[in-house]
Amino acid sequence: VSGCSGRLHQLSAIAVAGTLKGRFTEAMLEQKQRLPHPYHRSKYECEKLVRVTTAFEVRVYRPGAVVGHSVTGETIRADGPYFLFKTMQRLGRNLPRWMPMLGPKGAPLQMVPVDYVADCIDHIAHAPDLGGQTFHVVDPKAPSFRRTFNLLAEVAGGPKLGRNWLRPLWGMSP
């Protein structure tokens, strides 16, 4: 890239953390994390490549799972969390709503509306003196997997994840 200069904006993803447990900050990339999916690996490899360039000022953006518009809900994709919704609808047709589901407690589930991601990147892209930095474009108060699952279950008409799934049935803790 000889003779070029300017600013390079790279759209990565929080997926670069792979299966690493615990806190993963903007300053982190190579943490010996496992990257089990080609999508995770591609984001990781791309970030490594842009970080070694000296021809450009680089800004890296790592959004969570990008979902529909925050106001209208409109989306052009039907993957990711949308597959979960279809499964919940099937569960709702085949199981009673009162039946608690067994599921993980889960860490925060990072889903961010497309308009939020676009606004954040637009703001950061035009801010001075941020070259060489990485930005997590995520919800600072993201709901847990259980909370997200239960909100979707309410709309889909399916059963919810229970806190202690045995207690409501037999009065004992797992």
Side-chain angles (χ1 to χ4, degrees):
V1 194
S2 174
C4 294
S5 65
R7 185 177 294 156
L8 175 65
H9 300 274
Q10 194 241 336
L11 188 57
S12 185
I14 59 172
V16 298
T19 60
L20 191 71
K21 300 276 189 237
R23 186 178 169 98
F24 190 83
T25 69
E26 289 91 340
M28 300 165 81
L29 181 61
E30 298 184 59
Q31 302 297 310
K32 297 186 175 156
Q33 65 269 45
R34 279 191 354 56
L35 300 159
H37 192 275
Y39 175 78
H40 300 167
R41 166 90 32 216
S42 70
K43 294 297 185 179
Y44 173 82
E45 293 296 337
C46 193
E47 260 198 60
K48 279 179 41 178
L49 283 172
V50 300
R51 288 171 184 274
V52 297
T53 184
T54 55
F56 301 101
E57 172 194 295
V58 176
R59 294 182 189 184
V60 177
Y61 308 96
R62 292 180 185 159
V66 181
V67 295
H69 192 277
S70 66
V71 176
T72 67
E74 185 175 340
T75 185
I76 59 170
R77 297 172 39 195
D79 60 354
Y82 299 101
F83 284 133
L84 180 60
F85 189 75
K86 291 285 188 195
T87 300
M88 296 169 111
Q89 286 178 315
R90 280 193 297 278
L91 287 172
R93 288 190 297 269
N94 295 297
L95 296 173
R97 287 187 86 162
W98 57 263
M99 179 180 226
M101 299 289 295
L102 175 61
K105 287 182 181 178
L109 189 57
Q110 281 295 347
M111 294 188 297
V112 286
V114 66
D115 53 309
Y116 174 81
V117 173
D119 290 347
C120 284
I121 292 174
D122 180 55
H123 177 78
I124 296 166
H126 292 93
D129 304 322
L130 297 177
Q133 294 188 48
T134 299
F135 303 91
H136 284 168
V137 183
V138 296
D139 181 349
K141 296 181 180 176
S144 67
F145 175 82
R146 175 175 292 160
R147 177 149 169 70
T148 303
F149 185 98
N150 287 345
L151 287 169
L152 292 172
E154 185 72 33
V155 175
K160 295 181 179 180
L161 294 176
R163 288 197 181 276
N164 285 324
W165 68 279
L166 289 176
R167 185 172 290 143
L169 299 176
W170 295 285
M172 55 192 222
S173 295

